[in-house]
Amino acid sequence: MRKFILPAALLALAAATPAAAQVKRIGAPTSPILQAAVVPAGTDIMYVSGITPPPVNAGAPAGTAPEFGDTKTQTIGVLKRIEAILAAEGLTHGDVFMMRVLLVGDPSKGGKMDFAGMMEGYNQFYGTAAQPNKTARITSQVAALVAPGMMVEIEVQAAKPKK
């Protein structure tokens, strides 16, 4: 009878332990981004390549900012594209823990990146009542992206517990 105590205790412990812990998100509640994220063992990680914006103004000349919209519009378009990629794998923006944002300088802003416009788009997807999770993130200004008129490219990493 004694040899059943240890296996029974291990079984009870295993039943009480979740299959995989959630991503630990570290940062001030008032910050729009995380200071850090810890992804535990037993987690599937998805890497989404840099995604660029879809054209939004069909009549605009190809390769111009009007074809893709301003920084806010481009950010929203990119995050919607990322949302579809995540959904295809059973993930949401709530599973994103790391983001890299590349911004081209906006000609209408003297060639400086429109950080405020990017944040207006970002804040529609992260840190909301419907989706309170935020990401660890870097935002950088770059000289150009793959096509003229594109001012936003975003890549993300998302995680979910293994099944």
Side-chain angles (χ1 to χ4, degrees):
M1 180 129 180
R2 189 174 180 110
K3 55 184 159 181
F4 292 108
I5 294 174
L6 183 57
L10 288 174
L11 232 102
L13 180 61
T17 305
Q22 296 292 335
V23 171
K24 181 178 178 184
R25 296 168 187 271
I26 303 164
T30 55
S31 176
I33 64 171
L34 299 176
Q35 196 172 34
V38 179
V39 180
T43 304
D44 285 329
I45 299 175
M46 180 180 184
Y47 298 86
V48 178
S49 294
I51 303 300
T52 55
V56 293
N57 297 314
T64 65
E67 179 186 19
F68 299 103
D70 62 9
T71 300
K72 177 183 175 182
T73 301
Q74 290 191 30
T75 300
I76 292 167
V78 169
L79 291 174
K80 284 181 179 180
R81 281 183 156 180
I82 289 172
E83 186 171 62
I85 293 166
L86 293 169
E89 294 300 319
L91 296 159
T92 70
H93 280 290
D95 299 307
V96 173
F97 65 90
M98 180 65 196
M99 177 182 289
R100 287 174 192 83
V101 180
L102 304 176
L103 299 176
V104 171
D106 185 334
S108 72
K109 301 206 177 292
K112 294 181 181 174
M113 71 176 177
D114 182 7
F115 185 78
M118 184 279 296
M119 285 302 296
E120 286 180 43
Y122 171 88
N123 287 334
Q124 292 183 28
F125 294 83
Y126 295 93
T128 68
Q131 198 295 96
N133 291 340
K134 301 170 191 173
T135 68
R137 188 185 77 210
I138 182 171
T139 304
S140 300
Q141 182 170 338
V142 297
L145 293 174
V146 68
M150 290 183 176
M151 294 187 288
V152 178
E153 182 172 350
I154 300 174
E155 70 173 274
V156 300
Q157 295 170 14
K160 67 177 179 177
K162 289 186 182 207
K163 292 183 181 182

